[in-house]
Amino acid sequence: DQQVKQNSPSLSVQEGRISILNCDYTNSMFDYFLWYKKYPAEGPTFLISISSIKDKNEDGRFTVFLNKSAKHLSLHIVPSQPGDSAVYFCAASEDDMRFGAGTRLTVKP
Amino acid sequence: NAGVTQTPKFQVLKTGQSMTLQCAQDMNHNSMYWYRQDPGMGLRLIYYSASEGTTDKGEVPNGYNVSRLNKREFSLRLESAAPSQTSVYFCASRKGGGPGAWGTEAFFGQGTRLTVV
């Protein structure tokens, strides 16, 4: 059972515009939600996280929004830069950590 | 600054062979994880160890066993490799240590690319 879902396999945006990546989850017991970025042939690297008791967390160009009632979170990147091109994974965490299938973001110059 | 070290980086096995993937972290983390990454499937949790002395099944544990040898090391064993286990395997660790720590970031190794023929 896939408890974390990213339904968009890919997203393409223009440099300087906003990128919005979406994620849904099914298990209401998750305490934290995290976003990771992954380049080919490397392990994922952490971007930003949010506690289940908050609805927004911001770190520079990256903002994560959490809608608990809808079991939905999103990552906003503003402004998008070509170096942001990568695969983005959302994850949901208790003592384990479950990942979605990922969204490949391409930022075009 | 080694972080999380996985060995080997590449491996080719014949069906039925066994092998152990090694993972070590030098950050004094409590929690360690094994994932596999397959195209279109994202990262799927195989097994994890929330703290030294404990291990639990994840989403896809069949065909695998793990050992939390000590706080630093968490190994993944394939007893009888099958072509369906061809994948990229990632080990990760994070501070963990209790519910308040489940939002801390995990650090990943570089991955082991395993091919079973």
Side-chain angles (χ1 to χ4, degrees):
Chain A
D1 64 332
Q2 188 118 24
Q3 297 186 23
V4 180
K5 297 180 182 180
Q6 292 176 261
N7 292 320
S8 298
S10 62
L11 174 68
S12 181
V13 301
Q14 208 68 34
E15 181 179 7
R17 298 289 186 100
I18 184 171
S19 294
I20 301 176
L21 296 97
N22 294 302
C23 180
D24 297 294
Y25 62 96
T26 57
N27 185 349
S28 59
M29 298 300 292
F30 288 127
D31 291 325
Y32 287 91
F33 303 90
L34 309 95
W35 285 93
Y36 286 80
K37 178 179 181 179
K38 187 181 182 302
Y39 294 114
E42 295 183 8
T45 55
F46 173 78
L47 269 178
I48 191 169
S49 66
I50 186 168
S51 164
S52 60
I53 63 173
K54 295 187 175 181
D55 55 17
K56 178 182 176 181
N57 189 26
E58 193 171 355
D59 184 2
R61 297 186 297 114
F62 301 91
T63 303
V64 56
F65 296 92
L66 175 63
N67 182 334
K68 278 193 72 176
S69 60
K71 294 191 177 67
H72 177 83
L73 64 153
S74 61
L75 175 69
H76 292 211
I77 306 173
V78 184
S80 301
Q81 299 173 353
D84 296 330
S85 297
V87 177
Y88 289 77
F89 291 99
C90 70
S93 178
E94 290 182 273
D95 56 347
D96 63 353
M97 191 165 52
R98 305 290 179 109
F99 283 80
T103 297
R104 182 178 301 278
L105 173 65
T106 303
V107 181
K108 297 180 178 178
Chain B
N1 294 342
V4 178
T5 303
Q6 289 183 235
T7 54
K9 288 187 169 46
F10 301 94
Q11 184 72 48
V12 178
L13 286 179
K14 293 183 178 179
T15 298
Q17 287 185 318
S18 62
M19 80 161 295
T20 299
L21 281 65
Q22 307 286 356
C23 176
Q25 52 90 9
D26 61 2
M27 296 171 282
N28 199 35
H29 285 169
N30 292 297
S31 302
M32 298 185 74
Y33 306 82
W34 275 106
Y35 293 90
R36 59 178 289 173
Q37 185 187 13
D38 303 291
M41 305 292 288
L43 292 158
R44 292 184 292 171
L45 181 63
I46 305 171
Y47 271 93
Y48 68 102
S49 173
S51 60
E52 187 181 359
T54 69
T55 60
D56 285 285
K57 295 179 180 180
E59 301 166 89
V60 288
N62 291 344
Y64 304 95
N65 285 300
V66 291
S67 295
R68 184 75 184 265
L69 303 170
N70 47 56
K71 193 170 186 179
R72 288 187 66 247
E73 299 173 285
F74 188 40
S75 63
L76 178 71
R77 182 159 179 84
L78 287 71
E79 290 291 350
S80 178
S84 60
Q85 294 178 304
T86 294
S87 188
V88 180
Y89 291 85
F90 288 98
C91 176
S93 75
R94 64 177 175 175
K95 183 179 179 183
W102 301 136
T104 57
E105 64 178 289
F107 294 83
F108 283 79
Q110 293 283 72
T112 296
R113 186 172 294 274
L114 175 67
T115 302
V116 183
V117 297

